[in-house]
């Protein structure tokens, strides 16, 4: 993303083995988005997948369940190279997250010098903290009209790297569930995109894997990241299509 390229992510919600990292890499994804908001993965599972992904050259990022500082820091300690925070609504939320996710001087995260994030390579504390601050992605999800209205204040917080629009919950907030092509959704995306450009932050697109034509439209606003689908969705889609193939007559 730093080079201006689009990063494409695969969400992991079902497959718990390290094999998912190899699947994502060889399918051509740039990162593996491990979703702790909508499944029951343990931190041990997150750690194993994260270490495998890092070793294979695919970036592991984790959506944590909420704003709990302990959950954020412990997730990063497993080896995740980024965190995604659901339902970030205010500047105060953003500041709280940065405090937990970044080392001094940006935040107040405690340093474990030999850690999975660096594949257990040590070094001087100041260098490790500077490197990990630079390489740890912190993304806030914009999933409501309140968050859209506060996007400028959220993006202004140093240490927030990306605003990721969660389209499904945004639709719910607008009172138009499932209407991904609603004008209000497009307006919200345009506003968040302009905010990201103004503050030099990345724009992320989420929740549009079932509507790739709309996703590409939103990417056209300058997005640097898109969630392209989940292991569950890919499996069900392929399995359903294959079963139907054998049932079709002719």
């Amino acid at each position: 993303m730093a080079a201006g390229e689009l990063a494409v992510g695969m969400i992991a919600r079902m497959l718990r083995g390290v094999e998912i990292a190899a699947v994502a890499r060889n399918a051509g994804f740039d990162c593996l988005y491990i979703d702790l908001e909508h499944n029951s993965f343990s931190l041990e599972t997150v750690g194993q997948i994260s270490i495998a992904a890092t070793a294979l050259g695919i970036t592991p990022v984790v959506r944590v369940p909420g704003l709990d500082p302990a959950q954020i820091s412990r997730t990063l300690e497993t080896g995740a190279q980024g965190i995604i925070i659901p339902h970030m609504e205010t500047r105060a939320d953003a500041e709280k997250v940065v405090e937990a996710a970044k080392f001094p001087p940006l935040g107040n995260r405690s340093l474990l010098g030999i850690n999975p994030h660096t594949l257990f390579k040590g070094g001087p504390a100041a260098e490790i903290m500077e490197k990990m601050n630079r390489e740890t992605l912190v993304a806030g999800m914009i999933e409501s009209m309140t968050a859209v209205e506060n996007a400028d204040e959220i993006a202004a917080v140093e240490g927030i790297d990306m605003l990721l629009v969660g389209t499904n919950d945004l639709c719910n907030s607008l009172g138009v569930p499932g209407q991904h092509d609603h004008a209000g959704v497009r307006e919200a995306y345009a506003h968040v995109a302009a905010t990201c450009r103004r503050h030099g932050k990345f724009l992320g697109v989420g929740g549009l894997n079932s509507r790739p034509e709309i996703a590409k439209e939103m990417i056209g606003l300058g997005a640097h990241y898109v969630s392209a689908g989940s292991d569950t969705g890919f499996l069900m889609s392929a399995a359903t299509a294959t079963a139907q193939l054998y049932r079709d007559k002719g």
Side-chain angles (χ1 to χ4, degrees):
M1 294 194 298
E5 301 292 331
L6 178 70
V8 183
M10 173 182 172
I11 300 174
R13 291 198 179 107
M14 179 178 64
L15 301 180
R16 298 167 185 259
V18 296
E19 296 87 355
I20 187 63
V23 169
R25 179 184 182 276
N26 287 313
F29 291 99
D30 301 295
C31 72
L32 190 60
Y33 173 153
I34 305 166
D35 186 5
L36 291 186
E37 185 186 16
H38 294 302
N39 73 24
S40 60
F41 282 11
S42 68
L43 284 181
E44 180 178 3
T45 296
V46 172
Q48 293 299 296
I49 294 174
S50 294
I51 292 170
T54 299
L56 288 169
I58 183 167
T59 303
V61 297
V62 180
R63 175 160 65 177
V64 294
L67 295 167
D68 178 21
Q71 183 76 42
I72 292 168
S73 61
R74 289 194 70 203
T75 298
L76 289 171
E77 294 295 331
T78 69
Q81 294 185 16
I83 54 163
I84 298 171
I85 309 296
H87 306 291
M88 186 174 281
E89 299 269 285
T90 65
R91 180 186 180 94
D93 288 346
E95 291 172 340
K96 182 178 180 180
V97 168
V98 172
E99 182 78 3
K102 298 285 189 176
F103 297 102
L106 286 177
N108 195 35
R109 181 179 166 193
S110 179
L111 175 64
L112 176 64
I114 305 296
N115 64 80
H117 186 107
T118 61
L119 292 181
F120 305 101
K121 181 179 180 180
E127 291 182 13
I128 291 175
M129 290 191 293
E130 191 278 332
K131 183 175 188 291
M132 291 179 68
N133 273 351
R134 185 177 66 250
E135 296 183 357
T136 299
L137 179 76
V138 177
M141 294 201 70
I142 304 300
E143 302 183 272
S144 71
M145 287 312 298
T146 297
V148 172
E149 292 164 2
N150 291 332
D152 191 75
E153 292 185 2
I154 294 170
V157 175
E158 186 178 6
I160 294 294
D161 303 300
M162 180 169 73
L163 300 186
L164 173 57
V165 180
T167 312
N168 288 312
D169 283 334
L170 179 60
C171 285
N172 290 341
S173 179
L174 285 165
V176 291
Q179 297 182 42
H180 297 137
D181 55 355
H182 192 275
V185 173
R186 286 187 165 86
E187 290 171 7
Y189 261 103
H191 175 74
V192 176
T195 297
C196 288
R197 287 194 297 272
R198 186 161 53 250
H199 290 279
K201 304 298 172 76
F202 298 123
L203 170 67
V205 175
L208 287 171
N209 49 287
S210 65
R211 299 293 303 275
E213 75 284 2
I214 301 177
K216 289 181 179 180
E217 182 182 335
M218 300 303 103
I219 291 167
L221 295 173
H224 291 83
Y225 170 80
V226 61
S227 296
S230 68
D231 51 4
T232 312
F234 294 145
L235 177 60
M236 285 301 299
S237 178
T240 301
T242 300
Q244 188 59 48
L245 177 68
Y246 283 96
R247 293 185 185 281
D248 287 342
K249 297 179 180 180

